[in-house]
Amino acid sequence: MRTRRASQRRRGMLRPAGLWLLWRRPPAAGVPQKTLSLGKAAAAVSFPSSSSSRALNIFDRDLKRKQKNWAARQPEPGKFDYLKEEVGSRIADRVYDIARDFPLALDAGCGRGYIAQYLNKETVGKFFQVDIAENALKNTLETEIPTISVLADEEFLPFRENTFDLVVSSLSLHWVNDLPRALEQIHYVLKPDGVFIGAMFGGDTLYELRCSLQLAEIEREGGFSPHVSPFTSVNDLGHLLGRAGFNTLTVDTDEIQVNYPGMLELMEDLQGMGESNCAWNRKALLHRDSMLAAAAVYREMYGNEDGSVPATYQIYYMIGWKYHDSQARPAERGSATVSFGELGKINNLMTQGEKSK
């Protein structure tokens, strides 16, 4: 098991099954990073308080921007990056699995650049990194790839059609109000035969925290309010990708489990990640008695033998391609030369041939 680097009083561990990465291409130092003027970008890009009329307005996007800016301003923001760096490395692995290079790539919701640090300039020629938090863009991690930072919203990408060979996104899209629109925007800016590789939190993320808070509030206050944001189900994700125009889809799930000294340390780390709840229906304050009761319930129901408590992060990984004539296509309906009814006969003929040998 691998232990994340943390302060002396806080230590977490990832499941070994989620850490199959044995080797990573090391980033090179000394490559300057190009950043668009944040003042000009802020003036050019508006942050709407709600998405299009067809979408539910679930999240306070302005609050999410403030949360991410606050997290990026902390003296040691890297102390809380362990989860995002791990998922960023797994996205990079999926990029390397594709046997081609990408002259121009985009990271939608890049944060501090958790994917770019694991890619090299032989695979990606130039990287555009987009995020709503200007402080995150000012403190991006070092990479050997020439990068350009753009202050923009994932739902309103300020790029022309057919611009990028590759679009990636890691642990950002679960905070957008209009996920169908965001996926359509990604499809729009991709070139034909371009690929989108993304990751987002799934529905079972932090189920231990959710259950503990609900049970404690029911006991102490006679009811409960949501403290963990809602997540998209994996069954819906494939449909949304197809609706956005992607084909040759791949959707898979994984779980990363991190151990914490207690529930309060978990919540502190979520704040440090910029992952605090920003749903409009969130409860502003949690009573002290309810908080202490939830921490006790958490430890009683889910605690480990060593006194720590686990937190489960379910990750959905998705890959989708933009259509191009060169891509393999399924055969037309009715073009088959053998019916399913004849498969049994073929099997019998093969068996008889083996016996005759």
Side-chain angles (χ1 to χ4, degrees):
M1 300 181 78
R2 188 194 308 189
T3 304
R4 74 173 176 87
R5 301 180 184 275
S7 61
Q8 293 181 353
R9 68 180 181 81
R10 186 190 306 114
R11 185 170 297 166
M13 302 183 73
L14 303 181
R15 282 184 180 173
L19 292 176
W20 48 266
L21 181 62
L22 300 178
W23 177 81
R24 296 173 184 163
R25 295 160 178 79
V31 178
Q33 224 176 274
K34 181 178 179 183
T35 306
L36 295 182
S37 168
L38 293 178
K40 293 181 180 178
V45 179
S46 61
F47 297 102
S49 58
S50 62
S51 300
S52 60
S53 57
R54 69 176 182 179
L56 294 174
N57 188 15
I58 301 172
F59 303 115
D60 184 346
R61 292 287 289 172
D62 186 59
L63 175 60
K64 178 49 59 182
R65 179 162 58 95
K66 292 176 181 177
Q67 290 173 349
K68 296 182 71 172
N69 274 326
W70 180 89
R73 283 198 308 267
Q74 298 312 297
E76 298 180 86
K79 183 171 66 174
F80 304 102
D81 287 345
Y82 53 92
L83 182 65
K84 295 189 176 183
E85 288 191 357
E86 178 61 34
V87 177
S89 73
R90 299 186 188 190
I91 293 290
D93 281 342
R94 285 163 168 79
V95 175
Y96 287 128
D97 286 341
I98 300 174
R100 68 164 68 174
D101 60 332
F102 303 95
L104 193 59
L106 167 69
D107 186 350
C110 64
R112 297 180 60 239
Y114 304 107
I115 301 175
Q117 64 174 330
Y118 296 113
L119 296 172
N120 58 38
K121 59 185 178 182
E122 287 75 27
T123 302
V124 176
K126 182 179 289 186
F127 219 158
F128 277 76
Q129 296 182 303
V130 172
D131 202 88
I132 60 173
E134 58 271 20
N135 289 330
L137 295 174
K138 291 177 183 176
N139 295 292
T140 51
L141 299 165
E142 196 172 70
T143 176
E144 67 178 50
I145 305 171
T147 62
I148 299 176
S149 298
V150 181
L151 187 67
D153 194 307
E154 298 95 318
E155 293 183 35
F156 304 90
L157 297 175
F159 303 106
R160 294 180 179 177
E161 186 178 9
N162 303 331
T163 299
F164 297 100
D165 305 281
L166 167 71
V167 177
V168 294
S169 181
S170 180
L171 302 185
S172 174
L173 294 178
H174 57 278
W175 289 121
V176 301
N177 279 308
D178 195 345
L179 183 57
R181 177 189 174 90
L183 294 174
E184 289 170 3
Q185 288 279 298
I186 290 171
H187 183 272
Y188 178 81
V189 302
L190 271 174
K191 292 179 181 178
D193 203 31
V195 61
F196 166 58
I197 304 177
M200 60 189 295
F201 284 129
D204 287 339
T205 296
L206 298 176
Y207 71 87
E208 303 98 338
L209 178 62
R210 192 194 320 263
C211 293
S212 300
L213 289 170
Q214 289 178 357
L215 290 173
E217 281 194 305
I218 290 173
E219 178 190 359
R220 298 303 173 102
E221 302 176 34
F224 66 89
S225 299
H227 295 282
V228 179
S229 68
F231 298 106
T232 304
S233 70
V234 69
N235 294 330
D236 293 333
L237 194 53
H239 171 71
L240 292 174
L241 287 167
R243 192 172 112 181
F246 291 100
N247 57 48
T248 318
L249 304 177
T250 302
V251 178
D252 62 284
T253 67
D254 195 6
E255 285 187 356
I256 297 177
Q257 190 175 85
V258 184
N259 294 329
Y260 298 87
M263 189 191 79
L264 299 182
E265 287 79 7
L266 163 60
M267 297 180 74
E268 180 184 352
D269 273 27
L270 291 174
Q271 186 179 27
M273 296 178 197
E275 292 294 325
S276 299
N277 191 4
C278 69
W280 287 107
N281 65 345
R282 70 192 182 280
K283 189 175 181 179
L285 295 174
L286 183 62
H287 295 162
R288 182 175 181 273
D289 289 346
S290 298
M291 179 78 76
L292 295 176
V297 170
Y298 202 132
R299 193 175 300 278
E300 178 66 24
M301 291 182 62
Y302 305 106
N304 299 315
E305 292 182 359
D306 62 359
S308 64
V309 296
T312 300
Y313 301 91
Q314 185 181 40
I315 315 295
Y316 295 158
Y317 295 96
M318 63 199 104
I319 301 177
W321 295 79
K322 188 168 183 177
Y323 176 77
H324 187 265
D325 289 338
S326 64
Q327 293 174 351
R329 285 172 287 179
E332 294 182 5
R333 187 172 183 178
S335 62
T337 58
V338 179
S339 69
F340 282 107
E342 295 175 338
L343 292 179
K345 298 178 182 179
I346 295 174
N347 186 50
N348 291 333
L349 290 173
M350 291 178 64
T351 303
Q352 292 174 5
E354 290 176 356
K355 290 180 179 180
S356 64
K357 293 179 181 179

